[in-house]
């Protein structure tokens, strides 16, 4: 057997077969568990305002200004449907031009995306002839799951899939009400935790100072300001009905 190169990326269906899952389960991992799709800029067709450009005319940078090689995978973070913009790079197969395979134009709506590198550092496109960043919009383009991303996901499989579900609005409101009631009771029992004499309103600054003074040794959070602000928000929940 010749020493052939290994696989560098998967389609959704290929990844499903590789993991012994269904394509629907892989889609669920994208939506709920942080699995990321990616593309490589140098392998895509680009245009600005309908005029085709070459990838060497684009500089790919992270937030600090450090340059990326065009062979780097760009991971899609956020994606929304928009109309094509002349102030954005349209990424895709012949963007803005007639597509012979689909017999259609890459037309509205397209997807405007935010991208990051493998280390989750935000990335941006810069025109080499101008000092300005450009948004990225996608036309007809296939996204893949690079091997490095499948390995990242596999290595954190247990902690990723066992991550706690976010609180529902009802659960969050219930906790806010409990916290607000506890603050009221504390203000009745400790004069440092209320304004004025017995019966005065809770002093959230004072409650925060009492809590911070009694934090376990070595702990410095939450701060007084954080406690104060959270208690104010919790109090509002008592009057939200």
């Amino acid at each position: 057997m010749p020493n052939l190169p290994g696989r560098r990326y998967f389609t959704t269906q290929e990844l499903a077969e590789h993991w012994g899952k269904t394509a629907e389960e892989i889609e669920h991992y994208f939506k709920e568990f942080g699995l990321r799709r990616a593309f490589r800029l140098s392998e895509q067709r680009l245009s600005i305002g309908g005029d085709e450009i070459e990838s060497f005319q684009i500089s790919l940078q992270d937030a600090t200004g450090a340059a990326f090689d065009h062979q780097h995978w760009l991971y899609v973070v956020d994606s929304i449907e928009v109309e094509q913009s002349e102030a954005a790079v349209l990424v895709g197969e012949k963007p803005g031009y007639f597509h012979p395979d689909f017999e259609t134009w890459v037309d509205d709506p397209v997807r405007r995306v935010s991208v990051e590198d493998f280390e989750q550092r935000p990335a941006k496109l810069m025109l080499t002839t101008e000092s300005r960043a450009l948004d990225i919009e996608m036309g007809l383009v296939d996204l893949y799951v690079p091997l490095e991303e499948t390995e990242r996901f596999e290595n954190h499989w247990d902690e990723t899939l066992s991550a706690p579900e976010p609180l529902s609005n009802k659960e969050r409101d219930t906790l806010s009400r409990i916290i607000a009631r506890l603050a009221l009771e504390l203000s009745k029992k400790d004069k440092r935790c209320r304004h004025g004499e017995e019966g005065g309103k809770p002093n959230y600054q004072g409650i925060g100072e009492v809590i911070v003074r009694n934090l376990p040794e070595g702990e410095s959070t939450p701060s007084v300001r954080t406690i104060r602000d959270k208690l104010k928000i919790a109090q509002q929940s008592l009057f939200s009905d």
Side-chain angles (χ1 to χ4, degrees):
M1 176 69 68
N3 186 21
L4 298 176
R7 178 182 290 277
R8 300 183 66 181
Y9 59 82
F10 295 89
T11 65
T12 298
Q13 184 59 45
E14 289 170 344
L15 185 57
E17 294 171 1
H18 178 68
W19 280 345
K21 302 288 184 179
T22 65
E24 288 75 17
E25 287 176 298
I26 302 301
E27 290 294 337
H28 188 73
Y29 294 162
F30 289 129
K31 294 177 181 177
E32 298 295 332
F33 295 115
L35 183 63
R36 300 175 297 174
R37 291 183 173 102
F39 67 100
R40 278 197 295 248
L41 192 63
S42 59
E43 296 188 353
Q44 310 302 333
R45 299 293 292 273
L46 309 173
S47 72
I48 299 179
D51 296 326
E52 191 168 2
I53 62 172
E54 300 293 337
S55 60
F56 69 81
Q57 296 175 276
I58 294 290
S59 171
L60 181 61
Q61 303 177 1
D62 67 16
T64 68
F68 290 118
D69 186 281
H70 278 197
Q71 284 296 320
H72 272 72
W73 288 101
L74 291 178
Y75 293 87
V76 176
V77 185
D78 297 314
S79 176
I80 59 172
E81 285 195 351
V82 297
E83 294 182 358
Q84 288 187 38
S85 168
E86 293 185 358
V89 172
L90 183 60
V91 177
E93 181 62 28
K94 295 186 177 180
Y97 297 88
F98 186 68
H99 192 294
D101 295 335
F102 292 88
E103 296 186 353
T104 184
W105 290 85
V106 177
D107 205 350
D108 297 330
V110 297
R111 289 174 294 149
R112 182 170 296 166
V113 298
S114 298
V115 295
E116 61 188 16
D117 70 353
F118 179 66
E119 301 297 335
Q120 298 184 313
R121 295 172 299 183
K124 61 182 178 180
L125 299 183
M126 296 288 293
L127 274 179
T128 55
T129 56
E130 301 178 38
S131 297
R132 65 186 179 99
L134 296 167
D135 291 329
I136 303 175
E137 294 172 358
M138 284 188 168
L140 299 172
V141 56
D142 292 325
L143 298 176
Y144 301 98
V145 184
L147 182 61
E148 61 184 4
E149 175 66 5
T150 67
E151 292 175 346
R152 180 195 70 84
F153 196 77
E154 289 169 350
N155 291 337
H156 297 85
W157 186 271
D158 291 338
E159 62 187 72
T160 300
L161 297 187
S162 63
E165 293 291 329
L167 291 176
S168 67
N169 289 337
K170 182 177 180 180
E171 291 170 326
R172 187 176 291 105
D173 182 64
T174 297
L175 288 175
S176 291
R177 289 171 179 267
I178 292 172
I179 292 170
R181 291 296 181 188
L182 288 173
L184 284 173
E185 291 302 316
L186 186 58
S187 69
K188 296 175 183 178
K189 300 180 180 299
D190 192 324
K191 63 182 180 180
R192 297 172 299 175
C193 299
R194 63 173 178 262
H195 292 289
E197 298 301 321
E198 188 173 347
K201 293 182 179 180
N203 178 358
Y204 300 127
Q205 178 77 19
I207 294 175
E209 292 172 353
V210 170
I211 292 174
V212 167
R213 279 197 294 270
N214 289 278
L215 287 174
E217 185 176 352
E219 292 188 15
S220 58
T221 59
S223 67
V224 172
R225 180 176 180 178
T226 297
I227 296 170
R228 181 196 66 198
D229 293 345
K230 295 298 183 182
L231 287 175
K232 286 182 178 179
I233 294 173
Q235 185 190 34
Q236 295 172 3
S237 68
L238 295 179
F239 307 100
S240 60
D241 294 334

